């Protein structure tokens, strides 16, 4: 039998949730993944979904829980109001909001808002992952890249979030691949792209030079008509174009740092970003995404007095 | 009763076709529009569709026809192979390809291909409109902007197409509005955007500064969450962002000319482009799109000896 847990840590996103049971030192004693994200919980109720998972993991009914992610959105469990940047990661984690009537002590980490003229932006969930990453990389000035559907880039200076931006690169890939004229070029099920694909590299290099997407998108279609670019290479071209343009754009906004870009993500997408960053002349340091969010949740539990300092 | 026609001129696109009957001087004696574009004609047959329209307009069964557009694509009536740029508009129009077995003298104007490294591109249909525009603006160096689903920019020097590019701005607007997270911001039926909308102008100005789409798309969603940007203004923001970025990108590629940008398009979309070009500090000359394609078809008929010189 597992040791008795002290707290549950929950990463509750739009379509998925992840639950860890932690002992008094913050070590994992049990974990599970589920598809009961925000969209499901809006129907079933957040408390019943969480209670169900914790009960089936054998956790006591009064076990406290620290939560991050979309559960704190306006359409979530309760709204955990955005903290405005610049803000220190310690203060952000410390601002977790208690959920009244949850039947147990539940607190939700707030998201971040940037109200700067010309660059309005929000994040929710990534701030906790970011806190884990920042603890790992330590003080100094860091540029953190968190790839995904809506890729976040964050400037972190000595544990303070200076500013951030969202590049919806994953979403652009999906909508162009499925709903634009490029669906004829990529085919019904776009092939996975390998980072050593020469077409990926070529299109990435081009886009790195000026960050221009609009001028090149239709070129993928034209290359199919004129030089027989195949479906797998068309997917590689689109991926290289969008990731290269994102890196050009983000480094233009944030400037380059003396420290390596901290890339939060392993797996195939992380490998594409690592290759693209390298093509862009940037040094890269990889941070594990799963480890980072758990480490951020543990830090949040400590900041809110739910777990003793480690 | 209408005067006896000498030739039919046909603009045959993907989803629409347009037919004019012309007299020996090239003047219009009758015209009609139809939804029997390429997609319909692929099923019904191109000859039956054209014969049907001409018969119901009272045209003789042996009336010759000059055709431009997607009817000349590989998946069209017959393939009219691309002419490679640089090429003179006269030579392009003169390369119209006869359709064997059409039952009448039918010739299809070829499209254009650009095989330049890093900028593969094609057009089909716009080359004829372009010839009409070029005849109107005369010699000299011109930058021509043809807005639409796939907006074409063309550098024309003394009647020669030097180079061109495609910016799929209309398509990007549609797929982001319908299939991305921005559908929540714009609502089910995005409102038409007026060129004097301050949000359109603001987002256009921002995008004109660097041509960056990826850094700003998610900002439309964030502005809704943070400052209550409404649905109509979200549509204006997306339109301003995409059109502004297109103009920044196209003028970066082609350089600015001493002559005004020739904007082919009246109507609401043309008005947005005219405003955006003006915001970008560019002088604008408007050319009528319908008039241009007809004028190009007349020139093509003359070049191919189907109509006497005017």
């Amino acid at each position: 039998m597992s040791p008795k847990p002290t707290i549950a840590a929950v990463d509750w996103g739009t379509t998925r949730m992840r639950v860890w049971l932690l002992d008094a030192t913050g070590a994992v004693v049990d974990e599970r993944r589920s598809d009961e994200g925000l969209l499901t919980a809006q129907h079933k109720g957040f408390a019943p979904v969480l209670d169900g998972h914790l009960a089936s993991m054998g956790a006591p009914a009064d076990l406290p829980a620290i939560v991050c992610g979309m559960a704190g959105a306006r359409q979530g469990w309760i709204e955990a109001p955005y903290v405005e940047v610049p803000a220190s990661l310690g203060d952000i984690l410390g601002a977790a909001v208690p959920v009244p009537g949850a039947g147990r002590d539940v607190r939700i980490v707030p998201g971040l808002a940037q109200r700067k003229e010309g660059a309005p932006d929000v994040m929710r969930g990534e701030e906790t992952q970011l806190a884990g990453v920042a603890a790992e990389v330590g003080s100094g000035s860091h540029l953190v890249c968190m790839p995904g559907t809506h890729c976040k880039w964050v400037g972190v200076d000595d544990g303070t979030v200076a500013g951030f931006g969202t590049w919806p690169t994953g979403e652009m890939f999906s909508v162009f691949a499925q709903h634009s004229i490029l669906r004829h070029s990529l085919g019904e099920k776009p092939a996975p792209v390998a980072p050593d694909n020469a077409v990926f590299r070529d299109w990435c290099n081009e886009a790195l030079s000026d960050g221009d997407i609009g001028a090149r998108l239709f070129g993928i279609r034209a290359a199919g008509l004129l030089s027989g670019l195949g479906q797998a290479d068309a997917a590689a071209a689109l991926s290289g174009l969008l990731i290269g343009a994102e890196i050009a754009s983000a480094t233009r906004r944030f400037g380059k740092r003396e420290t390596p870009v901290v890339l939060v993500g392993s797996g195939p997408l992380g490998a594409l970003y690592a290759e693209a960053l390298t093509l862009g002349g940037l040094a890269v340091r990889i941070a594990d995404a799963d480890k980072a969010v758990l480490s951020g949740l543990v830090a949040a539990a400590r900041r809110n007095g739910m777990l003793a300092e480690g």
Side-chain angles (χ1 to χ4, degrees), chain A:
Chain A
M1 189 189 155
S2 307
K4 196 175 166 310
T6 301
I7 188 170
V10 183
D11 177 13
W12 209 327
T14 302
T15 57
R16 279 184 295 245
M17 77 183 300
R18 193 154 172 201
V19 183
W20 294 268
L21 299 185
L22 309 176
D23 69 14
T25 71
V28 174
V29 297
D30 197 6
E31 65 178 290
R32 59 159 54 192
R33 293 165 191 266
S34 146
D35 291 331
E36 293 180 306
L38 171 83
L39 300 176
T40 303
Q42 282 175 325
H43 295 290
K44 293 191 180 175
F46 287 83
V49 167
L50 181 59
D51 290 348
H53 285 291
L54 293 181
S56 67
M57 294 167 91
D62 63 350
L63 189 75
I66 181 80
V67 178
C68 73
M70 292 302 288
R74 197 170 302 168
Q75 70 277 30
W77 196 345
I78 58 151
E79 184 175 6
Y82 295 115
V83 171
E84 288 192 33
V85 297
S88 85
L89 284 160
D91 289 349
I92 295 162
L93 297 185
V97 174
V99 180
R104 67 175 83 228
D105 180 5
V106 177
R107 308 199 207 169
I108 306 184
V109 177
L112 300 186
Q114 176 170 275
R115 293 176 191 273
K116 200 174 69 178
E117 186 68 28
D121 219 315
V122 293
M123 69 163 67
R124 202 177 272 288
E126 293 93 345
E127 73 295 322
T128 303
Q129 202 172 50
L130 190 66
V133 168
E136 186 183 327
V137 298
S139 61
S141 178
H142 301 281
L143 185 53
V144 180
C145 169
M146 311 164 93
T149 305
H150 296 154
C151 184
K152 305 286 182 189
W153 287 72
V154 191
V156 181
D157 296 326
D158 291 326
T160 289
V161 177
F164 66 96
T166 303
W167 279 257
T169 298
E171 182 162 42
M172 281 198 271
F173 186 93
S174 298
V175 300
F176 292 144
Q178 291 172 37
H179 301 291
S180 83
I181 195 172
L182 295 184
R183 68 189 187 280
H184 303 301
S185 306
L186 273 67
E188 285 221 352
K189 249 186 114 67
V193 179
D196 63 353
N197 179 307
V199 175
F200 171 81
R201 289 184 181 176
D202 285 349
W203 285 72
C204 188
N205 268 325
E206 288 277 340
L208 279 164
S209 70
D210 58 11
D212 197 332
I213 295 170
R216 297 194 178 91
L217 271 179
F218 189 79
I220 297 173
R221 173 77 175 149
L225 295 170
L226 295 179
S227 53
L229 186 76
Q231 291 189 344
D233 282 342
L238 181 59
S239 177
L241 167 57
L242 295 177
I243 294 175
E246 175 190 330
I247 292 169
S249 169
T251 51
R252 189 164 56 203
R253 176 167 327 163
F254 292 106
K256 298 188 180 180
R257 316 267 159 144
E258 290 181 10
T259 50
V261 172
V262 182
L263 175 62
V264 185
S266 29
L269 184 62
L272 291 177
Y273 271 79
E275 175 68 20
L277 287 161
T278 305
L279 289 173
L282 294 154
V284 180
R285 172 175 179 166
I286 311 273
D288 183 89
D290 285 350
K291 211 174 117 186
V293 73
L294 177 58
S295 153
L297 282 165
V298 169
R302 288 185 173 136
R303 270 275 167 177
N304 291 282
M306 304 169 83
L307 202 59
E309 291 297 326

